[in-house]
Amino acid sequence: MSWNIEDARELYGVQRWGNGYFDINSDGDVVVQLRDGDSTVPVSLQKIIEGLADRGSAMPQLLRFRDLLDRRIEDLNESFLTAIKETSYQGSYRGVYPIKVNQQQQVIEEISEFGRKYNYGLEAGSKPELIAALAYMQDPNAYLICNGYKDDEFIDLALRAIQMGIRVIMVLEMPSELPAIIARSRALDIRPELGIRFRLSTKSEGHWAESGGDRSVFGLNSPQLIDAIDLLKSEGFLDCLTLFHYHQGSQLPNIRAIREAATEAVRVFVSLAQEGAPMEILDMGGGLAVDYDGSHSNFASSCNYSLKEYAANLIEVVQQHCDETNIPHPTLVTESGRAVVAYYSVLVFNILDVTRFSQPEEPAAPAKDAHDMLHNLWEIRNRIDRNDLQECFNDALFYRDQVRDLFRHGVIDLRARSAAEKIYWHVCTRIAAKAQLLDHIPEDLQTLQSNLIDFYYANFSVFQSLPDSWAIDQLFPIMPIHKLDTEPTHRAILADITCDCDGKVDRFINRDGTTTYLQVHDRQPGEEYNIAAFLVGAYQETLGDLHNLLGDPHVVSVGIEEGEIIYTHEVEGDSVADVLSYVEYDPKDLEKRFRNFAEKAVSKGKISAKQRKLIVDAYRNGLSGYTYYES
């Protein structure tokens, strides 16, 4: 059966994890669905990359799609508004975006602008985040929720913002914060608006299960909560407490765990209202998951619920328990970050080189005077049969090891060893192909199949652009962005250019779950071959590091107007001088030191003055160059 686009969609699961935003067109290119006026237009990622190349911008590229960010905010808010309407819920919904998920200026600006129609707010967990938020939060009906540690300077800034008409709510993360807030409030004569974060006993699921439960780092336990209520009463500040907050963790895959936590939380919320606090807001924290692997399951990289189901479940739980106790329905807040920005960014990188372990091509027969071990290997190639694959593999492995021993003892030279290895890998490739036809594949042959995976060397840094892939085994959808109208016949691991054994991606999504290799096309030397990692808008830019001094890649926002691709907000990636300055080098001092060294080489007669100029120019150009591979 011939290969077609439907086969590509099925292999890479693009319609399972793409959420309607990504697809493959008839030309075999991955497309992103962008709004152009009142219609949605498929835009080829390969065409975007070609347009950037024409403009002189090198790989890798981080593509941002403003339209997808807007649509995620829209979908989140509309899901809650629909659930509120359908259930006659008497409260409202106010989303806030936690800045820590992606702190880039463009993200905060876009969320503030588009989110205004929904009174969409921000969450700040540090003083720098608060300062950034205050510059963009000018909607008096949106919430600016302050979590994290708060010193006097933080508290004063939040209080002054309240004075200017911004709805700032300081959430108590630990008991010691409350006396400090009360003291600064009295000193400035500004009444605060307060929330309390509570440690739920309900356990969560997924990578961040420890964010909830008794052993979670932040939040007050039951005795501390009662102590805080008593202090607020005694100090005359109970009327300032309007918000109750809990946080289960990030990427919650199971809706059942979400319902259980919400049930416990609303019970505490009701109890605070019964204590006399004017409770108005129930902040249910983050955790809304992204279906990275497209399995729609309760696996860590997936979720077994839709956005609409998430909203409907939270509304139902809160409504039920408030009605039972005659407590007014609160305004619901979620701090959904990952689910809002994940789709927003796509990392595209090119393949620089390939190391092949599979050898489908016929190797050269050994010369007549070649060592017997090479002829023995060649003889195995001629007798491979389904009935004795294990024996053929055992023999090939034995003769290959014998050849290596002969080389170590100086009996054969490197050319002979190389010829033997080519024959060995060709034999293994044929054995593995025939093993696929067996009803039961022996363990050794299963291991052999995993060893016949090629290395595709990719022009990016895992540690800079996909740190969660390395740190917590996060799955990201990864696939070629072109040539998908032809069948990908090779299996590969992606190795980055960091010269680190951990600098690779070796877990991928496939139709059956996950696999240790990516199906790729045969890439010949010098041929353009581009691959993309999707759903990288959450945390990856924030957590990326400078391993091997590989800095931020080029960034560009992409949209479409009247059928034409529009490039905006272009941000050049880090230069070599940039990353060196991050680790306390002075580029000017480096150049001076190198120039002096070159002058000494001139004085010693090692190079001429003209050669010195060329060498120093090359050094200077290197400082100003991109940290990634430039052709």
PDB file of all heavy atoms in Angstrom, residues 496-523:
ATOM      1  N   ASP A 496      21.648  16.697  20.231  1.00  0.00           N
ATOM      2  CA  ASP A 496      21.855  18.135  20.042  1.00  0.00           C
ATOM      3  C   ASP A 496      23.345  18.429  19.855  1.00  0.00           C
ATOM      4  O   ASP A 496      24.149  17.509  19.670  1.00  0.00           O
ATOM      5  CB  ASP A 496      21.233  18.945  21.190  1.00  0.00           C
ATOM      6  CG  ASP A 496      21.983  18.795  22.516  1.00  0.00           C
ATOM      7  OD1 ASP A 496      23.054  18.147  22.551  1.00  0.00           O
ATOM      8  OD2 ASP A 496      21.496  19.330  23.528  1.00  0.00           O
ATOM      9  N   ILE A 497      23.725  19.698  19.891  1.00  0.00           N
ATOM     10  CA  ILE A 497      25.123  20.067  19.625  1.00  0.00           C
ATOM     11  C   ILE A 497      25.850  20.512  20.887  1.00  0.00           C
ATOM     12  O   ILE A 497      26.802  21.276  20.828  1.00  0.00           O
ATOM     13  CB  ILE A 497      25.216  21.162  18.542  1.00  0.00           C
ATOM     14  CG1 ILE A 497      24.456  22.429  18.953  1.00  0.00           C
ATOM     15  CG2 ILE A 497      24.697  20.646  17.226  1.00  0.00           C
ATOM     16  CD1 ILE A 497      24.682  23.594  18.005  1.00  0.00           C
ATOM     17  N   THR A 498      25.441  19.968  22.047  1.00  0.00           N
ATOM     18  CA  THR A 498      26.066  20.393  23.302  1.00  0.00           C
ATOM     19  C   THR A 498      27.277  19.573  23.695  1.00  0.00           C
ATOM     20  O   THR A 498      27.912  19.864  24.701  1.00  0.00           O
ATOM     21  CB  THR A 498      25.062  20.324  24.468  1.00  0.00           C
ATOM     22  OG1 THR A 498      24.596  18.969  24.599  1.00  0.00           O
ATOM     23  CG2 THR A 498      23.904  21.259  24.244  1.00  0.00           C
ATOM     24  N   CYS A 499      27.590  18.524  22.955  1.00  0.00           N
ATOM     25  CA  CYS A 499      28.708  17.651  23.318  1.00  0.00           C
ATOM     26  C   CYS A 499      28.514  17.042  24.702  1.00  0.00           C
ATOM     27  O   CYS A 499      29.470  16.862  25.466  1.00  0.00           O
ATOM     28  CB  CYS A 499      30.045  18.397  23.267  1.00  0.00           C
ATOM     29  SG  CYS A 499      30.457  19.041  21.647  1.00  0.00           S
ATOM     30  N   ASP A 500      27.286  16.710  25.041  1.00  0.00           N
ATOM     31  CA  ASP A 500      26.946  16.131  26.324  1.00  0.00           C
ATOM     32  C   ASP A 500      26.134  14.875  26.062  1.00  0.00           C
ATOM     33  O   ASP A 500      25.220  14.892  25.247  1.00  0.00           O
ATOM     34  CB  ASP A 500      26.139  17.124  27.170  1.00  0.00           C
ATOM     35  CG  ASP A 500      25.974  16.667  28.613  1.00  0.00           C
ATOM     36  OD1 ASP A 500      25.430  15.568  28.820  1.00  0.00           O
ATOM     37  OD2 ASP A 500      26.363  17.411  29.523  1.00  0.00           O
ATOM     38  N   CYS A 501      26.438  13.778  26.785  1.00  0.00           N
ATOM     39  CA  CYS A 501      25.727  12.529  26.532  1.00  0.00           C
ATOM     40  C   CYS A 501      24.243  12.641  26.846  1.00  0.00           C
ATOM     41  O   CYS A 501      23.422  11.878  26.315  1.00  0.00           O
ATOM     42  CB  CYS A 501      26.357  11.386  27.327  1.00  0.00           C
ATOM     43  SG  CYS A 501      26.337  11.619  29.115  1.00  0.00           S
ATOM     44  N   ASP A 502      23.859  13.582  27.717  1.00  0.00           N
ATOM     45  CA  ASP A 502      22.452  13.798  28.019  1.00  0.00           C
ATOM     46  C   ASP A 502      21.771  14.708  26.998  1.00  0.00           C
ATOM     47  O   ASP A 502      20.556  14.902  27.059  1.00  0.00           O
ATOM     48  CB  ASP A 502      22.288  14.423  29.409  1.00  0.00           C
ATOM     49  CG  ASP A 502      22.455  13.401  30.518  1.00  0.00           C
ATOM     50  OD1 ASP A 502      22.310  12.196  30.227  1.00  0.00           O
ATOM     51  OD2 ASP A 502      22.722  13.797  31.654  1.00  0.00           O
ATOM     52  N   GLY A 503      22.533  15.259  26.097  1.00  0.00           N
ATOM     53  CA  GLY A 503      21.978  16.196  25.124  1.00  0.00           C
ATOM     54  C   GLY A 503      21.314  15.485  23.964  1.00  0.00           C
ATOM     55  O   GLY A 503      21.776  15.575  22.817  1.00  0.00           O
ATOM     56  N   LYS A 504      20.246  14.789  24.266  1.00  0.00           N
ATOM     57  CA  LYS A 504      19.545  14.047  23.214  1.00  0.00           C
ATOM     58  C   LYS A 504      18.079  13.909  23.592  1.00  0.00           C
ATOM     59  O   LYS A 504      17.698  14.055  24.768  1.00  0.00           O
ATOM     60  CB  LYS A 504      20.157  12.666  23.016  1.00  0.00           C
ATOM     61  CG  LYS A 504      20.044  11.732  24.207  1.00  0.00           C
ATOM     62  CD  LYS A 504      20.690  10.382  23.903  1.00  0.00           C
ATOM     63  CE  LYS A 504      20.502   9.382  25.052  1.00  0.00           C
ATOM     64  NZ  LYS A 504      21.246   9.773  26.260  1.00  0.00           N
ATOM     65  N   VAL A 505      17.267  13.617  22.597  1.00  0.00           N
ATOM     66  CA  VAL A 505      15.866  13.282  22.814  1.00  0.00           C
ATOM     67  C   VAL A 505      15.680  11.862  22.312  1.00  0.00           C
ATOM     68  O   VAL A 505      15.912  11.574  21.132  1.00  0.00           O
ATOM     69  CB  VAL A 505      14.922  14.241  22.059  1.00  0.00           C
ATOM     70  CG1 VAL A 505      13.467  13.882  22.353  1.00  0.00           C
ATOM     71  CG2 VAL A 505      15.200  15.689  22.446  1.00  0.00           C
ATOM     72  N   ASP A 506      15.270  10.970  23.212  1.00  0.00           N
ATOM     73  CA  ASP A 506      15.128   9.567  22.843  1.00  0.00           C
ATOM     74  C   ASP A 506      13.806   8.969  23.312  1.00  0.00           C
ATOM     75  O   ASP A 506      13.673   7.751  23.470  1.00  0.00           O
ATOM     76  CB  ASP A 506      16.301   8.734  23.362  1.00  0.00           C
ATOM     77  CG  ASP A 506      16.488   8.850  24.867  1.00  0.00           C
ATOM     78  OD1 ASP A 506      15.649   9.499  25.532  1.00  0.00           O
ATOM     79  OD2 ASP A 506      17.480   8.296  25.384  1.00  0.00           O
ATOM     80  N   ARG A 507      12.816   9.833  23.553  1.00  0.00           N
ATOM     81  CA  ARG A 507      11.447   9.384  23.833  1.00  0.00           C
ATOM     82  C   ARG A 507      10.501  10.208  22.977  1.00  0.00           C
ATOM     83  O   ARG A 507      10.524  11.435  23.005  1.00  0.00           O
ATOM     84  CB  ARG A 507      11.089   9.538  25.310  1.00  0.00           C
ATOM     85  CG  ARG A 507      11.852   8.599  26.224  1.00  0.00           C
ATOM     86  CD  ARG A 507      11.432   8.782  27.678  1.00  0.00           C
ATOM     87  NE  ARG A 507      10.082   8.321  27.917  1.00  0.00           N
ATOM     88  CZ  ARG A 507       9.085   9.093  28.350  1.00  0.00           C
ATOM     89  NH1 ARG A 507       9.293  10.394  28.546  1.00  0.00           N
ATOM     90  NH2 ARG A 507       7.891   8.602  28.566  1.00  0.00           N
ATOM     91  N   PHE A 508       9.680   9.505  22.226  1.00  0.00           N
ATOM     92  CA  PHE A 508       8.810  10.171  21.262  1.00  0.00           C
ATOM     93  C   PHE A 508       7.403   9.585  21.337  1.00  0.00           C
ATOM     94  O   PHE A 508       7.192   8.491  21.868  1.00  0.00           O
ATOM     95  CB  PHE A 508       9.366  10.000  19.840  1.00  0.00           C
ATOM     96  CG  PHE A 508      10.764  10.525  19.668  1.00  0.00           C
ATOM     97  CD1 PHE A 508      11.862   9.682  19.826  1.00  0.00           C
ATOM     98  CD2 PHE A 508      10.992  11.858  19.360  1.00  0.00           C
ATOM     99  CE1 PHE A 508      13.150  10.151  19.683  1.00  0.00           C
ATOM    100  CE2 PHE A 508      12.279  12.340  19.212  1.00  0.00           C
ATOM    101  CZ  PHE A 508      13.360  11.489  19.374  1.00  0.00           C
ATOM    102  N   ILE A 509       6.485  10.326  20.779  1.00  0.00           N
ATOM    103  CA  ILE A 509       5.089   9.912  20.727  1.00  0.00           C
ATOM    104  C   ILE A 509       4.865   9.113  19.448  1.00  0.00           C
ATOM    105  O   ILE A 509       5.341   9.487  18.377  1.00  0.00           O
ATOM    106  CB  ILE A 509       4.173  11.149  20.728  1.00  0.00           C
ATOM    107  CG1 ILE A 509       4.347  11.943  22.026  1.00  0.00           C
ATOM    108  CG2 ILE A 509       2.714  10.770  20.515  1.00  0.00           C
ATOM    109  CD1 ILE A 509       3.839  13.351  21.931  1.00  0.00           C
ATOM    110  N   ASN A 510       4.138   8.003  19.568  1.00  0.00           N
ATOM    111  CA  ASN A 510       3.699   7.313  18.356  1.00  0.00           C
ATOM    112  C   ASN A 510       2.266   6.836  18.540  1.00  0.00           C
ATOM    113  O   ASN A 510       1.634   7.105  19.559  1.00  0.00           O
ATOM    114  CB  ASN A 510       4.651   6.162  17.989  1.00  0.00           C
ATOM    115  CG  ASN A 510       4.536   4.969  18.925  1.00  0.00           C
ATOM    116  OD1 ASN A 510       3.819   5.004  19.928  1.00  0.00           O
ATOM    117  ND2 ASN A 510       5.235   3.905  18.619  1.00  0.00           N
ATOM    118  N   ARG A 511       1.772   6.118  17.583  1.00  0.00           N
ATOM    119  CA  ARG A 511       0.358   5.733  17.587  1.00  0.00           C
ATOM    120  C   ARG A 511       0.024   4.785  18.731  1.00  0.00           C
ATOM    121  O   ARG A 511      -1.142   4.683  19.136  1.00  0.00           O
ATOM    122  CB  ARG A 511      -0.023   5.091  16.254  1.00  0.00           C
ATOM    123  CG  ARG A 511       0.801   3.891  15.884  1.00  0.00           C
ATOM    124  CD  ARG A 511       0.242   3.165  14.661  1.00  0.00           C
ATOM    125  NE  ARG A 511       0.367   3.962  13.464  1.00  0.00           N
ATOM    126  CZ  ARG A 511       1.403   3.911  12.635  1.00  0.00           C
ATOM    127  NH1 ARG A 511       2.453   3.132  12.935  1.00  0.00           N
ATOM    128  NH2 ARG A 511       1.434   4.637  11.536  1.00  0.00           N
ATOM    129  N   ASP A 512       1.021   4.103  19.284  1.00  0.00           N
ATOM    130  CA  ASP A 512       0.784   3.142  20.363  1.00  0.00           C
ATOM    131  C   ASP A 512       1.165   3.678  21.732  1.00  0.00           C
ATOM    132  O   ASP A 512       1.135   2.936  22.713  1.00  0.00           O
ATOM    133  CB  ASP A 512       1.561   1.848  20.083  1.00  0.00           C
ATOM    134  CG  ASP A 512       1.140   1.202  18.780  1.00  0.00           C
ATOM    135  OD1 ASP A 512      -0.073   1.149  18.516  1.00  0.00           O
ATOM    136  OD2 ASP A 512       2.030   0.770  18.014  1.00  0.00           O
ATOM    137  N   GLY A 513       1.543   4.916  21.821  1.00  0.00           N
ATOM    138  CA  GLY A 513       1.964   5.495  23.099  1.00  0.00           C
ATOM    139  C   GLY A 513       3.271   6.233  22.950  1.00  0.00           C
ATOM    140  O   GLY A 513       3.318   7.340  22.436  1.00  0.00           O
ATOM    141  N   THR A 514       4.360   5.583  23.394  1.00  0.00           N
ATOM    142  CA  THR A 514       5.681   6.193  23.257  1.00  0.00           C
ATOM    143  C   THR A 514       6.649   5.186  22.672  1.00  0.00           C
ATOM    144  O   THR A 514       6.440   3.978  22.722  1.00  0.00           O
ATOM    145  CB  THR A 514       6.220   6.677  24.622  1.00  0.00           C
ATOM    146  OG1 THR A 514       6.369   5.546  25.495  1.00  0.00           O
ATOM    147  CG2 THR A 514       5.290   7.694  25.241  1.00  0.00           C
ATOM    148  N   THR A 515       7.737   5.710  22.142  1.00  0.00           N
ATOM    149  CA  THR A 515       8.767   4.874  21.546  1.00  0.00           C
ATOM    150  C   THR A 515      10.114   5.544  21.755  1.00  0.00           C
ATOM    151  O   THR A 515      10.187   6.727  22.101  1.00  0.00           O
ATOM    152  CB  THR A 515       8.498   4.654  20.040  1.00  0.00           C
ATOM    153  OG1 THR A 515       9.488   3.790  19.491  1.00  0.00           O
ATOM    154  CG2 THR A 515       8.522   5.971  19.291  1.00  0.00           C
ATOM    155  N   THR A 516      11.173   4.762  21.548  1.00  0.00           N
ATOM    156  CA  THR A 516      12.528   5.272  21.786  1.00  0.00           C
ATOM    157  C   THR A 516      13.155   5.858  20.537  1.00  0.00           C
ATOM    158  O   THR A 516      14.347   6.163  20.538  1.00  0.00           O
ATOM    159  CB  THR A 516      13.432   4.144  22.325  1.00  0.00           C
ATOM    160  OG1 THR A 516      13.422   3.059  21.389  1.00  0.00           O
ATOM    161  CG2 THR A 516      12.962   3.664  23.682  1.00  0.00           C
ATOM    162  N   TYR A 517      12.405   6.001  19.467  1.00  0.00           N
ATOM    163  CA  TYR A 517      12.963   6.558  18.236  1.00  0.00           C
ATOM    164  C   TYR A 517      11.908   7.372  17.501  1.00  0.00           C
ATOM    165  O   TYR A 517      10.700   7.240  17.735  1.00  0.00           O
ATOM    166  CB  TYR A 517      13.484   5.445  17.323  1.00  0.00           C
ATOM    167  CG  TYR A 517      12.439   4.426  16.933  1.00  0.00           C
ATOM    168  CD1 TYR A 517      11.581   4.650  15.861  1.00  0.00           C
ATOM    169  CD2 TYR A 517      12.305   3.231  17.643  1.00  0.00           C
ATOM    170  CE1 TYR A 517      10.611   3.723  15.511  1.00  0.00           C
ATOM    171  CE2 TYR A 517      11.344   2.305  17.298  1.00  0.00           C
ATOM    172  CZ  TYR A 517      10.500   2.553  16.229  1.00  0.00           C
ATOM    173  OH  TYR A 517       9.545   1.643  15.888  1.00  0.00           O
ATOM    174  N   LEU A 518      12.377   8.223  16.622  1.00  0.00           N
ATOM    175  CA  LEU A 518      11.515   9.047  15.774  1.00  0.00           C
ATOM    176  C   LEU A 518      11.626   8.548  14.338  1.00  0.00           C
ATOM    177  O   LEU A 518      12.735   8.329  13.838  1.00  0.00           O
ATOM    178  CB  LEU A 518      11.957  10.512  15.847  1.00  0.00           C
ATOM    179  CG  LEU A 518      11.184  11.513  14.978  1.00  0.00           C
ATOM    180  CD1 LEU A 518       9.757  11.670  15.488  1.00  0.00           C
ATOM    181  CD2 LEU A 518      11.899  12.868  14.962  1.00  0.00           C
ATOM    182  N   GLN A 519      10.491   8.350  13.696  1.00  0.00           N
ATOM    183  CA  GLN A 519      10.497   7.977  12.282  1.00  0.00           C
ATOM    184  C   GLN A 519      10.877   9.210  11.455  1.00  0.00           C
ATOM    185  O   GLN A 519      10.228  10.256  11.538  1.00  0.00           O
ATOM    186  CB  GLN A 519       9.122   7.478  11.856  1.00  0.00           C
ATOM    187  CG  GLN A 519       8.743   6.127  12.419  1.00  0.00           C
ATOM    188  CD  GLN A 519       9.486   4.985  11.767  1.00  0.00           C
ATOM    189  OE1 GLN A 519       9.794   4.000  12.424  1.00  0.00           O
ATOM    190  NE2 GLN A 519       9.789   5.094  10.487  1.00  0.00           N
ATOM    191  N   VAL A 520      11.944   9.083  10.682  1.00  0.00           N
ATOM    192  CA  VAL A 520      12.450  10.211   9.896  1.00  0.00           C
ATOM    193  C   VAL A 520      12.736   9.748   8.472  1.00  0.00           C
ATOM    194  O   VAL A 520      12.783   8.548   8.178  1.00  0.00           O
ATOM    195  CB  VAL A 520      13.734  10.796  10.524  1.00  0.00           C
ATOM    196  CG1 VAL A 520      13.445  11.442  11.864  1.00  0.00           C
ATOM    197  CG2 VAL A 520      14.807   9.708  10.668  1.00  0.00           C
ATOM    198  N   HIS A 521      12.959  10.720   7.615  1.00  0.00           N
ATOM    199  CA  HIS A 521      13.305  10.435   6.227  1.00  0.00           C
ATOM    200  C   HIS A 521      14.823  10.292   6.086  1.00  0.00           C
ATOM    201  O   HIS A 521      15.586  10.807   6.904  1.00  0.00           O
ATOM    202  CB  HIS A 521      12.804  11.561   5.317  1.00  0.00           C
ATOM    203  CG  HIS A 521      11.319  11.764   5.398  1.00  0.00           C
ATOM    204  ND1 HIS A 521      10.731  12.547   6.370  1.00  0.00           N
ATOM    205  CD2 HIS A 521      10.304  11.270   4.629  1.00  0.00           C
ATOM    206  CE1 HIS A 521       9.414  12.543   6.201  1.00  0.00           C
ATOM    207  NE2 HIS A 521       9.138  11.778   5.158  1.00  0.00           N
ATOM    208  N   ASP A 522      15.204   9.604   5.042  1.00  0.00           N
ATOM    209  CA  ASP A 522      16.630   9.495   4.737  1.00  0.00           C
ATOM    210  C   ASP A 522      17.161  10.886   4.386  1.00  0.00           C
ATOM    211  O   ASP A 522      16.635  11.548   3.499  1.00  0.00           O
ATOM    212  CB  ASP A 522      16.829   8.534   3.568  1.00  0.00           C
ATOM    213  CG  ASP A 522      18.291   8.311   3.258  1.00  0.00           C
ATOM    214  OD1 ASP A 522      19.121   8.498   4.170  1.00  0.00           O
ATOM    215  OD2 ASP A 522      18.596   7.963   2.105  1.00  0.00           O
ATOM    216  N   ARG A 523      18.174  11.315   5.108  1.00  0.00           N
ATOM    217  CA  ARG A 523      18.738  12.634   4.861  1.00  0.00           C
ATOM    218  C   ARG A 523      20.148  12.487   4.323  1.00  0.00           C
ATOM    219  O   ARG A 523      21.028  11.910   4.966  1.00  0.00           O
ATOM    220  CB  ARG A 523      18.749  13.446   6.159  1.00  0.00           C
ATOM    221  CG  ARG A 523      19.176  14.909   5.961  1.00  0.00           C
ATOM    222  CD  ARG A 523      20.404  15.180   6.765  1.00  0.00           C
ATOM    223  NE  ARG A 523      20.869  16.553   6.639  1.00  0.00           N
ATOM    224  CZ  ARG A 523      22.151  16.885   6.614  1.00  0.00           C
ATOM    225  NH1 ARG A 523      23.092  15.965   6.681  1.00  0.00           N
ATOM    226  NH2 ARG A 523      22.513  18.140   6.507  1.00  0.00           N
TER     227      ARG A 523
END
